[in-house]
């Protein structure tokens, strides 16, 4: 440590210090270069500057000291609002937090043994005794202060007042350097870690008994050769305490829902990524992301997909729920953030999406998305693209699901359902043959004028917004059916959990929604990942995690697919369960394919539709991508009508080059199976003509 120290700067020079951002996920004082400050209230203390977003990683790293494992608690905290100080000091703060080792500052070692007079048990901070923690108080003076700087809110000034875990005599008071602690729990951290607490709480929420939790823990400790830290000493009493916390917890922290939500936000600041209270000019926005969700986002989002599942429960919940999803190795959609807002989530996405991208890159500068899926074309696409620097794909799962479910409900003729569903897809893709979709819509409504129930639904719910979707499909590439199935499975699981009849009285309360998401629902996904990684508790996994259509489609052999490339009206797939049974799929290869299997007849995306899409992709039974057509048209137009103005010509060439780069990126996504090929350009008057569109040179 001493070798890291440099010439003592004065307090007014602290902003000239380098901002240190170690590349490791968690880091400690040993990973930083410390300097001593001269003068001021912090004179003689070690100081360092780090990004404020990484304070939590520093605290975790300090708690993992090999010689003196500890747990740093918040001893005191103060906050100021921006603009509250006209002339702030150079070390003035927006937030001030004092962290102290949980083995101090009080010292009860003598009083517990009965060998002292108790004169040294008075708390050093003057806060009085802390009931229930006397047994761990060993007089440790190790503590540090974190200031979120007033003039530089993105930076944190760490002031280490006492870096050694010693008592007032200067002797080690816990850990392996303390001889009196050898063989006792004082060798280890005073409390179980947050990771183990989250693990046990999740097990309790999903219904695992105390006995099974303890037995599993014993097996895990034996598996790595015996106890090595405080977590390995988990007791039945620890689990009972957590059971008691769950039993006594309630979503209703206050009779008024708004007050209750504010209280939850104050108590669970670690789970709150972004919060904006409702006002006359601003909507209510709450973005929740737990540490576990952040880790899943880092793991599965890197070089993968991320998707929006937006406006869930808009008719039943007080405020609709939106979710950010990533996809795990089993093709399940994993929620990595929940967004609750009183307005459409896409309208104010700019308030927090940039902060989220910054948070991820702070954890891992090499983290990159392959593509971002949006399920509504009115999202602020440019903001998402700018912050994540990736391709944006349009996901039409919401449109597909709404249309097919209402067709099945309001139209009783199967052949008419098939034809209507196909022509509905023509409406969305009409932008390829005409500048607008009016003609296609009018023809659709004339042909099926006798389907009154569906037409009334279509006119009231979709006609006012259809041009928005057509424009979105014209400007954004469309994803394949595979992610549709994973998103739909998440949607069904969310619906099953929240919209049970026994919860009907809670739907108007936001605090209930928050509580349910962060406890029971969060635990379902934690258990699935834990079971998948370790093999434990597989009998308790939700069946839908292992039976999603995307995953099942991968197990269907290609020989089970019967596809006539000369007649792409329909295809058949032999059932895995009964080889004498074959399911028929109409409009194969499209996200608007329709299967006659029981799951699809409920309005869901089935494994047969997905398997057929994969086969169509591998056999190249599809038209060129829309982006490829646009690129070709732009080049032809440029060649046929070169601009006279050299500046305009230069701009046109730059634009064409950018289009070429876009096509290359889309080809990479297409090769990975994430991009939806265009359906055939079928004229409604020539429904029997299914000649493939000629390929581009």
């Amino acid at each position: 440590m001493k070798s890291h120290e440099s010439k003592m700067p004065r307090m007014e020079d602290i902003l000239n210090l380098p901002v240190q951002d170690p590349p490791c996920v968690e880091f400690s004082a040993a990973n930083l270069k410390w300097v001593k400050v001269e003068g001021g209230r912090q004179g003689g203390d070690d100081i360092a500057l780090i990004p404020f977003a990484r304070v939590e990683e520093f605290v975790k790293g300090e708690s993992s000291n090999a010689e003196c494992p500890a747990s740093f608690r918040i001893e005191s905290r103060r906050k100021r609002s921006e603009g509250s100080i006209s002339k702030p000091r150079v070390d003035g703060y927006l937030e001030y937090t004092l962290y102290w080792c949980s083995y101090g500052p009080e010292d009860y070692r003598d009083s517990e043994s009965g060998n002292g007079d108790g004169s040294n048990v008075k708390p050093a901070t003057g806060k009085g005794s802390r009931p229930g923690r006397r047994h761990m108080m060993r007089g440790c003076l190790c503590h540090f202060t974190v200031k979120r700087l007033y003039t530089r809110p993105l930076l944190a000034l760490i002031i280490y007042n006492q870096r050694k875990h010693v008592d007032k005599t200067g002797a080690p008071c816990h850990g392996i350097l303390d001889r009196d602690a050898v063989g006792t729990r004082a060798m280890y951290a005073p409390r179980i870690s947050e990771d183990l607490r989250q693990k046990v709480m999740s097990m309790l929420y999903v219904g695992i008994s105390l006995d099974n939790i303890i037995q599993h823990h014993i097996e895990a400790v034996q598996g790595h050769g015996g106890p090595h830290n405080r977590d390995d000493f988990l007791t039945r009493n620890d689990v009972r305490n957590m059971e008691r916390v769950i039993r006594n917890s309630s979503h209703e922290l206050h009779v008024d829902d708004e007050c209750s939500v504010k209280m939850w936000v104050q108590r669970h600041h670690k789970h709150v990524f972004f919060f904006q209270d409702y006002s006359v000019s601003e909507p209510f926005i709450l973005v929740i992301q737990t540490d576990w969700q952040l880790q899943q986002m880092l793991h599965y989002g890197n070089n993968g997909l991320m998707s929006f599942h937006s406006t869930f429960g808009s008719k039943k919940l007080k405020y609709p729920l939106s979710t950010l999803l990533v996809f795990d190795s089993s093709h399940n959609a994993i929620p990595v953030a929940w967004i609750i807002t009183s307005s459409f989530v896409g309208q104010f996405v700019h308030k927090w999406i940039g902060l989220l991208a910054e948070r991820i890159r702070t954890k891992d500068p090499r983290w990159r998305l392959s593509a971002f899926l949006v399920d509504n074309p009115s999202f602020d696409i440019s903001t998402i693209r700018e912050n994540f620097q990736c391709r944006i794909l349009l996901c039409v799962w919401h449109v597909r699901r709404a249309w097919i479910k209402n067709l099945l409900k309001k139209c009783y003729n199967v052949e008419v359902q098939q034809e209507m569903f196909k022509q509905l897809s023509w409406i969305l893709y009409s932008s390829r043959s005409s500048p607008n979709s009016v003609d296609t819509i009018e023809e659709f409504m004339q042909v099926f004028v006798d389907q009154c129930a569906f037409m009334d639904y279509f006119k009231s719910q979709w006609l006012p917004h259809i041009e928005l979707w057509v424009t979105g499909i014209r400007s954004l590439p469309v994803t394949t059916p595979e992610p549709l199935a994973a998103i739909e499975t998440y949607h069904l699981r969310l619906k099953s959990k929240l919209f049970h009849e026994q919860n009907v009285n809670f739907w108007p309360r936001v605090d209930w929604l928050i509580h349910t998401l962060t406890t029971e629902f969060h635990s379902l996904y934690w258990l699935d990942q834990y079971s998948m990684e370790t093999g434990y508790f597989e009998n308790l996994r939700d069946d839908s995690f292992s039976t999603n259509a995307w995953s099942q489609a991968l197990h269907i052999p290609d020989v089970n697919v019967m596809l006539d490339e000369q007649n792409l009206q329909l295809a058949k797939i032999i059932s895995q369960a009964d080889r004498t049974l074959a399911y028929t799929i109409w409009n194969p290869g499209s996200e608007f394919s329709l299967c006659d299997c029981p799951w699809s007849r409920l309005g869901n995306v089935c494994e047969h539709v997905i398997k057929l899409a994969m086969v169509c992709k591998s056999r190249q039974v599809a038209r060129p991508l829309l982006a490829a057509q646009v690129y070709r048209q732009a080049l032809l137009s440029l060649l046929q009508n070169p601009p006279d103005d050299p500046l305009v010509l230069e701009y046109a060439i730059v634009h064409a080059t950018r289009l070429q780069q876009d096509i290359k990126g889309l080809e990479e996504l297409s090769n990975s199976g994430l991009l939806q090929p265009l359906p055939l350009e079928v004229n409604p008057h020539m429904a029997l003509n299914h000649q493939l569109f000629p390929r581009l040179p």
Side-chain angles (χ1 to χ4, degrees):
M1 296 290 182
K2 295 295 183 183
S3 61
H4 286 171
E5 296 176 1
S6 61
K7 184 179 179 180
M8 294 176 65
R10 296 186 61 82
M11 181 54 67
E12 55 266 26
D13 298 327
I14 62 173
L15 293 182
N16 296 326
L17 296 176
V19 179
Q20 302 179 64
D21 190 5
C24 40
V25 177
E26 295 178 2
F27 62 99
S28 66
N31 302 113
L32 299 176
K33 181 179 180 180
W34 296 88
V35 296
K36 289 187 179 295
V37 67
E38 178 184 354
R41 284 174 290 183
Q42 278 77 42
D45 290 334
D46 291 335
I47 63 171
L49 283 177
I50 67 170
F52 179 74
R54 302 215 62 192
V55 169
E56 187 173 339
E57 283 73 32
F58 174 75
V59 175
K60 287 183 178 180
E62 279 297 275
S63 299
S64 303
N65 188 314
E67 293 183 349
C68 296
S71 174
F72 284 87
R73 69 176 182 277
I74 296 176
E75 187 75 0
S76 65
R77 170 179 282 166
R78 297 191 291 273
K79 291 186 179 182
R80 290 177 178 146
S81 58
E82 294 186 23
S84 59
I85 303 177
S86 58
K87 295 182 179 180
R89 294 166 50 93
V90 67
D91 64 334
Y93 62 85
L94 278 174
E95 298 181 26
Y96 169 99
T97 309
L98 172 62
Y99 292 89
W100 205 294
C101 174
S102 290
Y103 279 112
E106 302 94 326
D107 190 349
Y108 289 106
R109 288 175 295 181
D110 291 342
S111 62
E112 290 293 324
S113 63
N115 296 328
D117 58 4
S119 60
N120 63 341
V121 302
K122 182 177 177 59
T125 59
K127 288 194 172 185
S129 63
R130 294 180 172 88
R133 298 203 293 121
R134 291 171 62 95
H135 64 284
M136 69 173 65
M137 295 293 98
R138 303 176 68 84
C140 186
L141 300 180
C142 182
H143 66 286
F144 59 89
T145 302
V146 175
K147 290 184 178 182
R148 184 180 188 182
L149 295 177
Y150 191 95
T151 56
R152 303 279 292 277
L154 296 180
L155 298 184
L157 174 66
I158 302 179
I159 305 167
Y160 228 130
N161 310 104
Q162 172 54 263
R163 290 169 57 183
K164 296 182 179 179
H165 290 268
V166 295
D167 57 22
K168 64 182 182 180
T169 67
C173 53
H174 62 95
I176 59 176
L177 299 181
D178 180 10
R179 294 182 179 181
D180 294 335
V182 175
T184 71
R185 287 189 182 180
M187 285 182 61
Y188 309 104
R191 298 183 181 86
I192 61 174
S193 66
E194 283 299 316
D195 289 342
L196 180 60
R197 184 177 300 278
Q198 178 63 57
K199 174 180 175 180
V200 175
M201 294 284 277
S202 296
M203 290 180 178
L204 292 171
Y205 274 119
V206 297
I208 300 177
S209 68
L210 185 151
D211 289 338
N212 286 340
I213 292 174
I214 293 298
Q215 180 60 36
H216 165 64
H217 184 74
I218 292 174
E219 293 174 1
V221 173
Q222 291 174 346
H224 62 242
H228 296 295
N229 53 48
R230 171 62 180 88
D231 285 357
D232 292 338
F233 290 97
L234 181 74
T235 66
R236 300 177 74 88
N237 194 48
D238 291 326
V239 181
R240 287 194 187 97
N241 289 337
M242 284 182 270
E243 275 186 322
R244 190 179 302 111
V245 170
I246 293 175
R247 188 166 55 249
N248 295 335
S249 65
S250 170
H251 69 270
E252 190 172 311
L253 303 179
H254 193 281
V255 66
D256 179 75
D257 186 47
E258 291 185 8
C259 293
S260 184
V261 170
K262 291 177 184 178
M263 292 174 66
W264 186 91
V265 168
Q266 292 173 352
R267 295 181 184 184
H268 300 83
H269 63 276
K270 287 186 178 181
H271 297 345
V272 178
F273 173 70
F274 180 87
F275 177 65
Q276 175 179 281
D277 201 3
Y278 180 85
S279 67
V280 176
S281 58
E282 298 288 354
F284 172 91
I285 303 175
L286 174 61
V287 183
I288 300 171
Q289 186 176 59
T290 67
D291 185 63
W292 180 84
Q293 287 179 309
L294 177 60
Q295 297 307 316
Q296 304 310 301
M297 188 174 178
L298 286 165
H299 180 57
Y300 293 117
N302 192 29
N303 298 319
L305 288 175
M306 189 154 65
S307 175
F308 260 113
H309 172 272
S310 63
T311 60
F312 174 85
S314 56
K315 295 181 179 179
K316 294 182 179 180
L317 299 175
K318 180 179 179 180
Y319 296 147
L321 169 69
S322 297
T323 309
L324 276 180
L325 302 168
V326 294
F327 303 89
D328 68 9
S329 55
S330 298
H331 308 292
N332 290 306
I334 307 298
V336 293
W338 289 299
I339 306 98
I340 304 170
T341 175
S342 58
S343 65
F344 171 59
V345 65
Q347 185 178 359
F348 293 94
V349 71
H350 64 277
K351 286 183 172 289
W352 56 269
I353 199 76
L355 297 174
L356 181 62
E358 181 183 345
R359 183 185 201 188
I360 290 294
R361 294 197 179 100
T362 298
K363 303 288 185 183
D364 183 1
R366 298 168 298 176
W367 188 91
R368 292 291 184 273
L369 273 179
S370 291
F372 199 117
L373 280 57
V374 294
D375 60 359
N376 192 309
S378 60
F379 269 99
D380 187 350
I381 303 299
S382 60
T383 297
I384 298 175
R385 182 185 287 119
E386 178 184 351
N387 283 286
F388 284 99
Q389 297 293 308
C390 67
R391 305 295 169 184
I392 309 297
L393 307 183
L394 185 60
C395 180
V396 296
W397 78 272
H398 177 67
V399 181
R400 182 197 185 280
R401 181 174 177 82
W403 284 356
I404 189 58
K405 286 185 74 69
N406 278 276
L407 276 174
L408 295 172
K409 181 180 179 181
K410 303 177 188 298
C411 177
Y412 304 105
N413 186 302
V414 175
E415 294 182 355
V416 175
Q417 290 173 357
Q418 298 163 6
E419 189 62 26
M420 290 181 72
F421 198 46
K422 183 166 62 175
Q423 292 208 27
L424 283 168
S425 71
W426 293 346
I427 292 175
L428 284 184
Y429 291 101
S430 62
S431 57
R432 290 172 197 142
S433 57
S434 61
N436 60 64
S437 56
V438 175
D439 295 339
T440 313
I441 294 173
E442 289 181 353
E443 184 172 357
F444 170 74
M445 297 176 69
Q446 290 174 6
V447 171
F448 300 104
V449 66
D450 57 328
Q451 300 298 322
C452 300
F454 184 84
M455 286 303 164
D456 290 342
Y457 159 77
F458 183 78
K459 290 177 184 178
S460 62
Q461 299 295 320
W462 289 97
L463 199 55
H465 313 290
I466 198 67
E467 197 64 39
L468 176 66
W469 281 94
V470 171
T471 303
I473 288 182
R474 181 187 297 128
S475 58
L476 292 173
V478 181
T479 186
T480 54
E482 292 96 313
L484 269 63
I487 296 171
E488 191 172 76
T489 300
Y490 172 79
H491 175 84
L492 294 173
R493 190 177 296 121
L494 192 61
K495 185 177 179 180
S496 173
K497 187 65 181 176
L498 297 180
F499 290 162
H500 195 281
E501 291 184 0
Q502 66 182 15
N503 298 325
V504 65
N505 294 330
F506 300 131
W507 294 343
R509 292 190 65 98
V510 177
D511 59 359
W512 169 81
L513 175 61
I514 295 171
H515 180 78
T516 304
L517 290 174
T518 55
T519 55
E520 300 173 32
F521 198 65
H522 184 280
S523 298
L524 288 176
Y525 283 88
W526 176 90
L527 177 67
D528 179 70
Q529 291 298 307
Y530 184 75
S531 178
M532 190 168 60
E533 293 169 2
T534 65
Y536 288 105
F537 306 118
E538 289 190 343
N539 59 317
L540 296 176
R541 289 182 69 191
D542 189 328
D543 291 339
S544 61
F545 283 106
S546 55
T547 59
N548 73 80
W550 189 356
S551 178
Q552 287 182 319
L554 297 173
H555 295 91
I556 299 177
D558 287 354
V559 295
N560 284 19
V561 180
M562 295 176 286
L563 175 65
D564 183 359
E565 296 183 15
Q566 303 304 315
N567 179 15
L568 293 177
Q569 264 189 308
L570 56 85
K572 291 183 179 291
I573 292 184
I574 299 174
S575 170
Q576 290 281 84
D578 182 1
R579 297 195 59 81
T580 63
L581 178 63
Y583 296 113
T584 302
I585 298 95
W586 291 270
N587 198 21
S590 165
E591 71 272 30
F592 283 87
S593 298
L594 189 60
C595 181
D596 63 355
C597 73
W599 185 244
S600 183
R601 296 302 297 173
L602 293 175
N604 305 304
V605 180
C606 67
E607 65 269 27
H608 311 111
V609 166
I610 294 176
K611 178 62 181 180
L612 200 53
M614 294 175 176
V615 171
C616 287
K617 169 64 183 175
S618 64
R619 297 182 186 178
Q620 296 186 345
V621 186
R623 292 201 35 207
L625 297 174
L626 176 58
Q629 297 179 45
V630 172
Y631 175 57
R632 183 179 66 174
Q633 291 171 2
L635 289 181
L636 288 174
S637 176
L638 181 62
L639 291 172
Q640 294 171 2
N641 303 293
D644 296 329
D645 190 327
L647 292 178
V648 176
L649 178 61
E650 182 180 358
Y651 174 79
I653 294 174
V654 171
H655 183 62
T657 303
R658 181 178 177 182
L659 283 171
Q660 188 177 31
Q661 294 172 347
D662 288 344
I663 297 304
K664 183 178 180 181
L666 292 173
E667 286 175 349
E668 294 175 356
L669 291 175
S670 181
N671 293 335
S672 64
L674 300 177
L675 200 62
Q676 172 65 38
L678 293 183
L680 298 174
E681 186 76 58
V682 182
N683 189 312
H685 297 294
M686 303 174 62
L688 298 179
N689 182 9
H690 292 279
Q691 184 178 2
L692 291 178
F693 190 86
R695 297 178 183 175
L696 288 174

